[in-house]
Amino acid sequence: TQLLEQSPQFLSIQEGENLTVYCNSSSVFSSLQWYRQEPGEGPVLLVTVVTGGEVKKLKRLTFQFGDARKDSSLHITAAQPGDTGLYLCAGGGFYGGSQGNLIFGKGTKLSVKP
Amino acid sequence: KAGVTQTPRYLIKTRGQQVTLSCSPISGHRSVSWYQQTPGQGLQFLFEYFSETQRNKGNFPGRFSGRQFSNSRSEMNVSTLELGDSALYLCASSSLASAGGNTQYFGPGTRLTVL
């Protein structure tokens, strides 16, 4: 059972466009993390959100944690080719399930063309 | 602070062999988790160690095992390799007691190819 659903799976856009990636679950998480991964490398942490309704900004990236802590979104403004990569969301502290490990979505593969 | 390091970065083995992968966490981090990443399944949790004890285990066969040493370094072992074990194996470390609820920092991974 995939507890975290990410959409879209693939996204190909032109430089300068805006985009939003979604991460949804029917389960409640105590925290949600977003990572970016490049081919052949490990995921690099972008942000951790822990409070329902929380919004965090990292330059052109805006992250939001849903009020019920079941979903999250990542919005990129004026995308650049350097934003290309695999974006992963991961839920931690899964209530009602096992603790101590992250549950990952399958990722959104973003390609930004110059 | 140095990040998570994993050795080796690349490994080629044949079916039936066994392999040992190594992970050194960020200094001061006591929790180490291992994940398997494949194109079809994405990142899947293998196990987590904290203070030399396995605290959590994912849904993988017994051929996958691990251990953690007193200096928090960790190793994972895969015995009787199968073609389907070809994957990127990622190690992540976390500073606090409850790894699932806290931020995990990943190493670059070990790319295992089974022929």
Side-chain angles (χ1 to χ4, degrees), chain A:
Chain A
T1 305
Q2 188 67 29
L3 295 177
L4 272 174
E5 298 286 343
Q6 272 188 253
S7 61
Q9 281 190 340
F10 302 96
L11 197 50
S12 182
I13 61 172
Q14 293 295 130
E15 183 176 2
E17 291 184 19
N18 301 331
L19 67 114
T20 302
V21 176
Y22 299 94
C23 179
N24 295 301
S25 175
S26 57
S27 306
V28 175
F29 292 95
S30 66
S31 69
L32 202 131
Q33 295 159 31
W34 285 92
Y35 293 85
R36 181 166 148 260
Q37 184 179 24
E38 300 197 24
E41 297 295 327
V44 175
L45 179 72
L46 295 173
V47 78
T48 300
V49 285
V50 296
T51 306
E54 182 176 3
V55 176
K56 278 193 175 177
K57 292 196 175 186
L58 187 67
K59 296 184 183 177
R60 295 176 293 100
L61 277 61
T62 301
F63 304 87
Q64 183 159 13
F65 201 11
D67 290 341
R69 292 191 290 183
K70 292 182 179 182
D71 54 85
S72 180
S73 63
L74 156 61
H75 182 78
I76 301 179
T77 304
Q80 297 176 2
D83 295 327
T84 294
L86 179 68
Y87 288 82
L88 295 157
C89 67
F94 170 43
Y95 295 111
S98 64
Q99 301 278 335
N101 59 275
L102 290 177
I103 307 294
F104 277 86
K106 288 200 173 181
T108 295
K109 203 168 210 179
L110 172 64
S111 173
V112 183
K113 294 179 173 39

Side-chain angles (χ1 to χ4, degrees), chain B residues 26-57:
Chain B
I26 292 171
S27 177
H29 285 195
R30 294 166 62 191
S31 169
V32 173
S33 297
W34 288 89
Y35 295 83
Q36 181 196 66
Q37 186 176 29
T38 58
Q41 297 299 317
L43 268 128
Q44 293 189 286
F45 172 74
L46 281 156
F47 27 66
E48 182 218 351
Y49 286 87
F50 180 80
S51 293
E52 301 178 67
T53 301
Q54 187 181 87
R55 190 160 62 173
N56 264 292
K57 190 177 190 307

